[in-house]
Amino acid sequence: MKHNTNDPEWGIETIAIHAGQQPDPHTGAVTVPVYQTSTYEQDAVGQDRGYEYSRTGNPTRDALETSIASLEGGDFGRAFASGMAAEDTILRLLNPGDHVVMGNDAYGGTFRLISKVLTRFNIDWTAVNFANPTEIEEAITGNTRMLWTETPSNPLLSVVDIEMLAALAHANGAWCVVDNTFATPYLQQPLSLGADFVVHSATKYLGGHSDVVGGFIAMNSAELDENIGFLQNAIGAIPAPWDCYLLLRGIKTLPVRMDRHCENAEKIVDFLTTHKKVDEVLYPGLESHQTYKVAEKQMKKYGGMVSFTVKGGGEEARKIVGHTKVFTLAESLGAVESLIEVPAAMTHLSAEGSPLEVDDSLIRLSVGIETADDLLNDLDQALSY
Ligand SMILES: *Cc1c(COP(=O)(O)O)cnc(C)c1O
């Protein structure tokens, strides 16, 4: 879907509310209607009014595609049933014999898809530390077609220099794919830094309310959009109109939610860095974090995700997360409510023994938008349970 409806002067808050979400031309409805239909009447054989079948196109999905593409500063966007469906669709641009280089702290599902599914189709991969350009260069082979990154990464929250990665990809005839789920377009816009594809789990901050699963791809190239659009229709991993509506509803408040996520996360980081039970705090905005310089250059603020290790190891970490009352013990992230988890035993359990394995004393927080003091008090009492 080409986004062509927003004023180039608009700020991101205006884009979040208006791009793709103009009043309905037929009725004036201020909210984009849920076009819950599978098919469309044709005026004569082969003469449709822009839509023929909802796998191929649906007005509610079009609105979502315009909305997120606009937020990413991209000319094109395609919506999917989940983040993994979006990732799978991009990866199907590859052919047998091709090679992917990814960060060694990629999302577990990305790692599983590439290492356990795509390898069956003779697509090869290497996972390296993306904070180190030399390691990336050494991993690139004559068959490398994609450099795949997530920044900030999960759960170590290290930041990858997108401009550097895109330049490296293009110098080697490869595409640069950036998973922008953690940062959101409010904090960074990878296409403007040279990325070819931005991929999202819209399930997280874009939706923002833990009530919908969705995915997205944003691009600037008409040719790539055509290829992705062909695959979107051919594979059919599209989101339902109702889910598109929920995402559109969530997106309207993305900028204000992100501001509060960041503000609360910063307060929690301050609290944790001086706590005697805490070993190390990982947050992109901490000057002590190894990738701080890149984060400062690349991100507007530093996000709502905070990780930290506790003294006493994995057993202690599990006890602490069992004692919170405001933070909910759960996987996932990016919604209004605060979540807490132990990656080694939950989100990253399948990474055991792989390059993605994480320290079992690591706790990951998805900081929500509740009253900051309630979050601080909750962590304080859980840490001294
Ligand atoms: C959740 C997540 C995904 C996968 O998205 P789903 O919507 O769960 O399919 C991909 N990347 C990141 C960074 C995620 O957090």
Side-chain angles (χ1 to χ4, degrees), residues 187-301:
L187 302 182
Q188 82 194 1
Q189 292 177 316
L191 295 177
S192 72
L193 300 171
D196 301 287
F197 298 98
V198 168
V199 62
H200 273 283
S201 170
T203 314
K204 315 292 168 53
Y205 288 105
L206 292 177
H209 296 75
S210 298
D211 55 6
V212 60
V213 171
F216 202 80
I217 301 172
M219 299 146 286
N220 266 331
S221 147
E223 188 191 339
L224 291 181
D225 176 62
E226 201 177 314
N227 294 341
I228 291 291
F230 172 81
L231 289 169
Q232 181 192 41
N233 184 51
I235 297 167
I238 45 108
W242 177 254
D243 288 355
C244 294
Y245 159 78
L246 284 173
L247 288 170
L248 283 165
R249 182 181 164 113
I251 283 167
K252 289 180 184 174
T253 56
L254 176 72
V256 287
R257 281 187 286 111
M258 289 314 291
D259 276 339
R260 183 60 68 85
H261 282 298
C262 293
E263 198 181 299
N264 281 355
E266 281 168 24
K267 287 179 184 164
I268 286 174
V269 166
D270 283 347
F271 164 77
L272 290 173
T273 39
T274 56
H275 199 283
K276 61 180 190 314
K277 266 205 181 168
V278 174
D279 216 6
E280 190 186 9
V281 182
L282 300 171
Y283 186 63
L286 267 180
E287 280 181 52
S288 59
H289 200 293
Q290 56 158 351
T291 57
Y292 174 72
K293 284 241 148 53
V294 186
E296 198 190 19
K297 173 180 87 161
Q298 186 166 285
M299 301 178 74
K300 183 159 147 188
K301 294 180 185 179

Side-chain angles (χ1 to χ4, degrees), residues 39-53:
T39 190
Y40 306 83
E41 181 188 32
Q42 304 200 355
D43 296 327
V45 176
Q47 268 180 47
D48 58 53
R49 296 172 213 162
Y51 297 96
E52 53 190 27
Y53 185 62

Side-chain angles (χ1 to χ4, degrees), residues 81-105:
S82 69
M84 291 318 301
E87 295 194 10
D88 184 47
T89 303
I90 292 187
L91 288 161
R92 287 190 200 218
L93 292 169
L94 299 175
N95 293 309
D98 287 348
H99 175 250
V100 182
V101 182
M102 62 179 151
N104 62 3
D105 51 357

Side-chain angles (χ1 to χ4, degrees), residues 1-137:
M1 174 83 196
K2 176 101 179 115
H3 92 79
N4 52 12
T5 48
N6 51 312
D7 187 320
E9 299 293 311
W10 278 353
I12 196 160
E13 294 82 359
T14 312
I15 292 174
I17 294 168
H18 295 291
Q21 306 211 54
Q22 299 86 0
D24 178 49
H26 307 296
T27 62
V30 165
T31 300
V32 174
V34 181
Y35 285 91
Q36 191 71 42
T37 187
S38 60
T39 190
Y40 306 83
E41 181 188 32
Q42 304 200 355
D43 296 327
V45 176
Q47 268 180 47
D48 58 53
R49 296 172 213 162
Y51 297 96
E52 53 190 27
Y53 185 62
S54 271
R55 169 161 36 74
T56 318
N58 176 282
T60 316
R61 192 172 93 215
D62 278 357
L64 179 66
E65 291 181 342
T66 302
S67 169
I68 305 180
S70 303
L71 286 169
E72 285 291 356
D75 284 338
F76 304 95
R78 302 275 175 178
F80 295 86
S82 69
M84 291 318 301
E87 295 194 10
D88 184 47
T89 303
I90 292 187
L91 288 161
R92 287 190 200 218
L93 292 169
L94 299 175
N95 293 309
D98 287 348
H99 175 250
V100 182
V101 182
M102 62 179 151
N104 62 3
D105 51 357
Y107 175 70
T110 307
F111 184 71
R112 179 173 54 205
L113 177 62
I114 294 176
S115 69
K116 297 223 161 79
V117 181
L118 289 175
T119 45
R120 287 177 36 224
F121 300 92
N122 198 23
I123 287 163
D124 202 7
W125 59 276
T126 310
V128 295
N129 178 5
F130 268 18
N132 182 353
T134 322
E135 270 191 49
I136 309 173
E137 275 176 271

